[in-house]
Amino acid sequence: MDWEDIERTTGLAFPADYREFVGSYGGGEIDEYLSVSTPPVPGSPYGDLLDRVNPALSDRDREELSALLPSGALPPLLPFADTASSDVAFWLRLGAPDGWRVAVFRRQTPHGLSRWTIFDGGMASLCLAALSGEADVFSERLSAGEAHEFVSWRGA
């Protein structure tokens, strides 16, 4: 992946943990549940990341997320992962990419609870916390005590 070319042509830089993950594994799925998107890569069904810049959210969802942020201002969002339950993990693109936090939109929540969770960490920290059971940010909890499997588009 030519990250410098992507940054030059799109104006987007990406966090180092994400670049390292994609460089090592490519796009794919963890436990057939959590899909990680990448910039366009020939042959990859996960190469839709750049098509998702500035995602459309309802006014209600924008207001709910803004209320959880200290400034109340919603920074640009970029979704980088989805779950089989239709949850979406977004980068909150504020400041330098390595400082971006993550907001997770849960498609399924009990009535009256926020569908948004702010995670103080990046993509790799979020995945590790979800896989270890340390964080419960998705609609379904990933099995913390079991081995996990990542299936890359490269191996598909």
Side-chain angles (χ1 to χ4, degrees):
M1 183 86 39
D2 186 345
W3 295 106
E4 289 177 6
D5 184 53
I6 291 169
E7 184 174 352
R8 188 174 46 257
T9 58
T10 67
L12 284 172
F14 293 93
D17 63 341
Y18 174 77
R19 291 190 319 262
E20 289 173 26
F21 182 92
V22 169
S24 295
Y25 304 106
E29 291 182 344
I30 300 170
D31 294 345
E32 296 183 349
Y33 183 72
L34 180 62
S35 299
V36 178
S37 297
T38 68
V41 177
S44 172
Y46 302 98
D48 64 347
L49 184 74
L50 299 179
D51 295 336
R52 304 173 76 190
V53 175
N54 299 321
L57 297 175
S58 72
D59 289 341
R60 176 181 160 223
D61 291 333
R62 286 186 175 282
E63 289 171 12
E64 195 174 309
L65 177 55
S66 294
L68 297 175
L69 300 172
S71 69
L74 190 61
L77 301 174
L78 180 59
F80 64 87
D82 303 273
T83 70
S85 301
S86 298
D87 305 330
V88 182
F90 296 86
W91 280 303
L92 297 168
R93 297 185 308 147
L94 183 63
D98 287 340
W100 292 349
R101 296 187 311 158
V102 173
V104 176
F105 177 80
R106 280 190 199 193
R107 183 70 54 195
Q108 303 167 21
T109 57
H111 179 72
L113 293 181
S114 176
R115 297 197 300 175
W116 290 98
T117 300
I118 304 296
F119 183 81
D120 281 326
M123 177 263 192
S125 297
L126 173 74
C127 290
L128 182 60
L131 293 169
S132 69
E134 182 182 314
D136 185 15
V137 296
F138 300 117
S139 293
E140 296 179 36
R141 192 170 186 87
L142 295 164
S143 300
E146 299 177 14
H148 298 282
E149 179 180 29
F150 179 80
V151 176
S152 172
W153 67 269
R154 294 176 183 161

